[in-house]
Amino acid sequence: MKQVENQNLIQQNAFVNGEWITAKNGATFDVINPFDTTIIKAVADCGKTETKEAIQAAHDAFEVWKKRTANDRSSVLHKWYALILKNIDDLAVLLTLEQGKPLAEARSEIIYGASFIQWFAEEVRRTFGDIIPPHRSDVRIMTIKQPIGVVAAITPWNFPVAMITRKVAPALAAGCTVVIKPSEETPLSALALATLAEEAGFPKGVFNVIPTLNAKEVGEEMTSNPLVRKLSFTGSTAVGKLLMRQCAATVKKVSLELGGNAPFIVFDDADIDAAVKGAIAAKYRNAGQTCISANRIYVQYSIHEGFLEKYKKAIDQLVIGNGLDPATIIGPLINQKAIKKVNRLIKNAEENGAILHPTNYIVEQNLYPPVILTNVELTMQIHNEEIFGPVTAIYKFSTEEEVIQMANNTPYGLASYFYGRDYARIWRVAEALEYGMVGINTGAISTAVAPFGGVKESGIGREGSTYGIEEYMEVKYMCWGEV
Ligand code: SIN
């Protein structure tokens, strides 16, 4: 990894209680570059023992960290933020190497990820309680907010930096301590964040990272250990449900950011060029591997042909290749499992009458070119599953009522988008969509200042924004009698 200047950022061991530790049994696993499938580095493969140790360390450190003033915690977070930006070039290379996204996108992710740290470093100063008018004249009532305790964060590979900071920054700001289990595909970015967290001055035990290939074993310890008081998870709905069940035994608070099946609706009064641009942005960020990727594009009959023509031209411009090459716009998918899923969805659609454009595309290792499916039906797998790849499925619709019904007819409810200019309809549609987030005439909705999260089977809780820190705090009510 010659491209990384600050070699301190390249770590191979777990970070527990302020120390870099190997797995007790000496086991390691390989981190693979999804572009060429070469081994980047072997990393400690931790299990239950190391997880337990990290949780104990986080529990001990909680006693110290929670007593620091908000101002004090804020200043450590600000230092971490500054160090991440100082090391952005190296962090971006590391991210691209292990995740595959183009360097420019990796840089954007690091800026996005760091913005959560900056936001919560400020937000912690405003975790106010209340003075409540009492129900009796001889008492006074007040509330305070207190950190919940040890937080276990299980994070995905699609945003190896931002999905950590979006959980960990509010937790640490609130006064909680954290044990992070990064995805086995992308542990290097998590360990680099730990290096910088240590340099920023978080006390030992406040920030712990457990790389592992054994997600089941580590997840079971995180969800069953009574010292963990909160679980925050981003990943599939199936795994989220399992973790939620496991957390029930010790009644842990949970935040779950799960799968999506985002509708992207284009009404006949939309600015078509803007809608194409927005759809490409919402679909092809991270090669379509985001929970908020446009999964089902619904275009009103009268503009369908015009939209399709422009959309085809737009995807022809998307250069696929090595994320380290500055010309690349779409990097590889994460692994062969992802390739197989996309192939299955396309096969099922084609077998049932969908039309593919272009037909002569070539999949090389993990590189999947952008393709479009038309003539798609609501019964096809592609309509009902999260694609997580560079395939756009374009449907036709006639009326507002019909498209709302189609958009809401899913167990998911994370992000949704629509383009149109009629103000009355904008209000109606925005209110009718059963989703946690609605992009109106935009395909880019992610920011630290707004609440990110879903309804229905897309999750519980909100990340980012003023609501994000509440997830890591408990409200305590105090009733003061006369002395
Ligand atoms: C995700 O895919 O889970 C996160 C996407 C984002 O934060 O924009």
Side-chain angles (χ1 to χ4, degrees):
M1 267 185 280
K2 298 186 295 292
Q3 309 97 317
V4 177
E5 207 171 287
N6 178 358
Q7 290 280 312
N8 272 342
L9 295 175
I10 305 168
Q11 298 290 344
Q12 60 193 31
N13 291 327
F15 189 62
V16 175
N17 204 18
E19 310 280 336
W20 294 99
I21 62 158
T22 54
K24 296 278 183 276
N25 63 4
T28 61
F29 67 94
D30 293 334
V31 183
I32 308 290
N33 180 335
F35 170 66
D36 56 14
T37 68
T38 53
I39 297 172
I40 307 171
K41 187 131 198 102
V43 164
D45 186 7
C46 298
K48 184 181 162 115
T49 315
E50 299 79 9
T51 310
K52 241 182 145 100
E53 204 178 296
I55 293 170
Q56 185 62 52
H59 180 67
D60 297 345
F62 179 57
E63 290 309 310
V64 180
W65 184 242
K66 72 179 182 190
K67 292 188 184 130
R68 295 268 193 105
T69 62
N71 197 40
D72 204 357
R73 290 199 296 268
S74 170
S75 84
V76 185
L77 281 159
H78 273 302
K79 276 188 204 141
W80 191 33
Y81 167 74
L83 283 167
I84 289 172
L85 291 188
K86 187 172 157 207
N87 286 277
I88 187 167
D89 293 336
D90 285 343
L91 290 170
V93 169
L94 210 52
L95 202 162
T96 294
L97 282 173
E98 67 175 349
Q99 202 277 340
K101 67 178 67 175
L103 213 44
E105 265 196 61
R107 284 181 68 90
S108 301
E109 179 184 337
I110 288 156
I111 292 167
Y112 175 49
S115 72
F116 290 101
I117 303 175
Q118 186 187 41
W119 172 266
F120 287 110
E122 293 306 319
E123 206 55 20
V124 61
R125 300 174 199 275
R126 292 179 278 275
T127 51
F128 306 126
D130 312 290
I131 305 285
I132 298 173
H135 60 304
R136 285 193 342 233
S137 57
D138 62 337
V139 295
R140 297 293 176 267
I141 292 177
M142 64 187 281
T143 66
I144 57 168
K145 288 181 186 160
Q146 292 184 300
I148 187 161
V150 176
V151 173
I154 302 183
T155 58
W157 50 263
N158 62 345
F159 289 85
V161 168
M163 294 305 101
I164 290 181
T165 55
R166 189 155 82 182
K167 296 176 187 321
V168 160
L172 296 173
C176 299
T177 53
V178 297
V179 181
I180 304 159
K181 188 208 87 61
S183 163
E184 64 270 27
E185 313 283 356
T186 57
L188 298 173
S189 294
L191 296 171
L193 287 178
T195 306
L196 299 175
E198 186 184 23
E199 196 179 332
F202 288 104
K204 70 186 178 73
V206 168
F207 192 107
N208 305 275
V209 183
I210 298 287
T212 183
L213 205 49
N214 197 342
K216 185 171 180 290
E217 182 177 315
V218 170
E220 274 170 8
E221 182 58 30
M222 285 178 151
T223 50
S224 64
N225 191 316
L227 299 183
V228 172
R229 292 311 320 144
K230 158 104 195 183
L231 173 85
S232 182
F233 168 71
T234 294
S236 73
T237 294
V239 174
K241 287 179 183 177
L242 173 74
L243 293 170
M244 194 175 173
R245 272 198 298 276
Q246 290 176 186
C247 282
T250 44
V251 194
K252 296 187 201 316
K253 193 167 172 171
V254 292
S255 287
L256 303 170
E257 199 256 278
L258 308 176
N261 185 4
F264 188 107
I265 305 167
V266 189
F267 288 105
D268 54 9
D269 62 338
D271 174 333
I272 297 189
D273 290 318
V276 169
K277 202 166 159 226
I280 295 281
K283 176 74 235 181
Y284 287 105
R285 176 172 170 234
N286 201 15
Q289 302 172 110
T290 90
C291 302
I292 58 170
S293 289
N295 218 50
R296 301 170 284 160
I297 300 194
Y298 299 113
V299 186
Q300 205 153 11
Y301 265 102
S302 60
I303 56 161
H304 180 263
E305 288 310 310
F307 179 90
L308 188 59
E309 199 180 309
K310 290 186 173 181
Y311 198 88
K312 280 181 180 167
K313 278 200 187 123
I315 67 158
D316 289 345
Q317 308 302 311
L318 303 175
V319 180
I320 58 167
N322 184 354
L324 292 180
D325 179 343
T328 297
I329 298 176
I330 301 194
L333 296 192
I334 192 70
N335 53 30
Q336 279 297 304
K337 196 172 155 212
I339 298 277
K340 283 198 185 109
K341 178 175 183 189
V342 173
N343 279 338
R344 170 175 64 78
L345 295 176
I346 292 182
K347 187 164 175 274
N348 172 268
E350 277 195 295
E351 280 172 1
N352 288 289
I355 296 168
L356 192 61
H357 166 91
T359 43
N360 58 344
Y361 67 92
I362 299 165
V363 180
E364 271 182 281
Q365 266 185 0
N366 294 334
L367 284 178
Y368 213 110
V371 292
I372 303 175
L373 282 168
T374 51
N375 243 28
V376 267
E377 301 288 341
L378 308 192
T379 48
M380 291 175 181
Q381 291 173 354
I382 197 139
H383 188 259
N384 300 298
E385 289 183 41
E386 193 172 30
I387 302 171
F388 244 62
V391 188
T392 304
I394 304 185
Y395 307 77
K396 292 179 194 165
F397 72 93
S398 320
T399 64
E400 182 185 320
E401 294 69 32
E402 180 196 12
V403 78
I404 295 292
Q405 210 271 332
M406 292 195 295
N408 287 342
N409 189 16
T410 168
Y412 299 104
L414 192 59
S416 56
Y417 309 85
F418 68 92
Y419 274 68
R421 283 186 274 208
D422 173 339
Y423 268 85
R425 178 159 64 190
I426 286 176
W427 276 110
R428 275 196 311 274
V429 173
E431 289 182 4
L433 286 169
E434 294 166 359
Y435 288 82
M437 298 174 279
V438 186
I440 304 161
N441 291 319
T442 178
I445 56 173
S446 302
T447 162
V449 310
F452 190 105
V455 299
K456 294 158 76 179
E457 293 188 23
S458 285
I460 293 177
R462 292 294 177 270
E463 296 191 310
S465 83
T466 194
Y467 303 103
I469 200 162
E470 304 285 334
E471 305 276 337
Y472 297 94
M473 305 192 94
E474 295 283 19
V475 174
K476 184 179 279 176
Y477 146 54
M478 298 181 203
C479 186
W480 297 55
E482 276 177 331
V483 271

